[in-house]
């Protein structure tokens, strides 16, 4: 999607603020013993209260309002009767539609007590996201995003989950413009960031995996047990002087 009017930008800001607030709410309600379905119910109620339709179920008939992935599950985890335990790393991905516009955000949370290795991985993944956001300018190549994420991961001793990455968003959950944006440097990608372009940035940094494999449920993407992966995600617009992040 390319933003063409202030009214479109305002609609994007509105739904972006809601999904960001819901993600924070869900993270704050995490506690040992609760199921991922119970956590999803909290997110569903908050989204619907603010006039949003959960995007995963709306677009893909996903069996949940949000995606909740625990430990070596990396993405698209189905909310179910899985019980959250102390020390679990839980990724919460919240996306929704309101007034015809979609926004998408996500974050990884560690249920106390957190291990130092988990905290370090989360810090590095947030750093990769923030550095990638700083590259956003009209006229720059989109592959600067992957270049920056990959460089940060290598500096800190992590790998990239290469089959997951950033994507266009706005008029749909996964917009064809600009489409998929790798989280690694794709030298031959000559697509440019243009003013008003809307997309996510979402690095997946891992302690050793480079691919996430689809599980038997047909949805969950996971690595081998024992490997940790963190993800953080924002939806943004390419502004005249840099990124306008709408999911803060």
């Amino acid at each position: 999607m390319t933003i063409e009017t202030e009214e479109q930008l305002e609609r994007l800001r509105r739904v972006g603020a809601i999904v960001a607030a819901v993600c924070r709410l869900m993270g704050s309600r995490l506690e040992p013993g609760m199921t991922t379905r119970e956590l999803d119910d909290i997110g569903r109620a908050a989204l619907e209260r603010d006039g949003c339709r959960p995007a995963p179920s709306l677009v893909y008939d996903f069996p949940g309002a949000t995606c909740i992935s625990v430990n070596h599950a990396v993405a698209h985890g189905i909310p179910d009767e899985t019980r959250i335990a102390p020390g679990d790393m839980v990724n919460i991905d919240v996306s929704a539609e309101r007034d015809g516009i979609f926004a998408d955000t996500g974050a990884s949370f560690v249920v106390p007590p957190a291990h130092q290795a988990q905290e370090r991985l989360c810090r590095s993944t947030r750093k990769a996201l923030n550095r990638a956001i700083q590259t956003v300018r009209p006229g720059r190549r989109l592959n600067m995003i992957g270049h920056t994420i990959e460089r940060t991961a290598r500096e800190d001793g992590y790998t990239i989950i290469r089959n997951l990455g950033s994507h266009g968003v706005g008029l749909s959950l996964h917009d064809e413009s600009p489409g998929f944006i790798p989280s690694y440097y794709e030298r031959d990608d000559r697509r440019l960031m243009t003013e008003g372009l809307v997309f996510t940035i979402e690095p997946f940094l891992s302690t050793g995996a480079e691919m996430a494999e689809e599980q038997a449920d047909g949805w969950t993407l996971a690595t081998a047990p024992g490997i940790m992966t963190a993800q953080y995600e924002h939806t943004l617009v390419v502004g005249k002087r840099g990124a306008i992040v709408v999911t803060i």
Side-chain angles (χ1 to χ4, degrees):
M1 176 186 184
T2 297
I3 294 291
E4 297 178 345
T5 66
E6 284 296 323
E7 188 269 342
Q8 284 181 326
L9 179 58
E10 182 54 35
R11 280 192 287 157
L12 182 65
R13 286 185 186 275
R14 188 178 303 123
V15 68
I18 292 170
V19 296
V22 171
C23 188
R24 288 195 302 272
L25 171 66
M26 293 174 68
S28 72
R29 298 285 293 275
L30 269 172
E31 61 181 40
M34 75 185 311
T35 68
T36 56
R37 191 186 307 281
E38 289 169 336
L39 184 61
D40 183 65
D41 288 343
I42 292 169
R44 180 189 299 277
L47 288 170
E48 293 178 350
R49 183 171 60 245
D50 284 325
C52 290
R53 295 190 290 176
S57 54
L58 174 66
V59 177
Y60 296 112
D61 200 27
F62 179 77
T66 65
C67 299
I68 304 173
S69 308
V70 182
N71 294 330
H72 69 283
V74 175
H76 306 164
I78 298 174
D80 58 16
E81 301 312 310
T82 298
R83 292 202 177 272
I84 295 166
D88 279 350
M89 180 176 286
V90 181
N91 181 264
I92 300 172
D93 194 301
V94 182
S95 56
E97 177 271 341
R98 190 178 190 271
D99 298 329
I101 300 292
F102 291 80
D104 192 0
T105 193
S108 294
F109 302 86
V110 180
V111 182
H115 299 295
Q116 187 175 14
Q118 294 170 315
E119 294 176 337
R120 182 176 178 273
L121 174 61
C122 289
R123 283 197 303 270
S124 292
T125 310
R126 288 193 298 268
K127 179 169 67 175
L129 172 60
N130 292 331
R131 283 182 173 180
I133 289 171
Q134 293 302 312
T135 71
V136 173
R137 294 286 190 285
R140 288 186 177 172
R141 287 189 180 180
L142 279 165
N143 64 10
M144 287 297 296
I145 293 168
H147 184 271
T148 302
I149 292 171
E150 186 173 35
R151 186 182 68 223
T152 303
R154 286 180 174 174
E155 286 174 358
D156 291 352
Y158 296 114
T159 56
I160 296 291
I161 302 295
R162 298 173 70 88
N163 60 326
L164 291 168
S166 312
H167 57 87
V169 69
L171 294 178
S172 62
L173 180 57
H174 294 97
D175 251 26
E176 293 183 2
S177 176
F180 180 75
I181 306 169
S183 291
Y184 54 89
Y185 184 47
E186 183 60 73
R187 186 181 301 275
D188 295 331
D189 188 350
R190 299 184 178 277
R191 294 174 296 169
L192 298 178
M193 304 179 202
T194 54
E195 187 176 341
L197 191 64
V198 184
F199 53 87
T200 70
I201 297 180
E202 49 178 314
F204 290 80
L205 271 59
S206 177
T207 58
E210 293 190 345
M211 298 290 288
E213 303 294 338
E214 185 176 292
Q215 303 302 292
D217 62 21
W219 291 104
T220 305
L221 297 173
T223 65
I227 293 178
M228 295 186 297
T229 302
Q231 177 254 24
Y232 292 87
E233 175 184 16
H234 278 310
T235 294
L236 58 86
V237 183
V238 180
K240 291 181 184 295
R241 299 176 181 83
I244 302 169
V245 181
V246 301
T247 48
I248 290 181

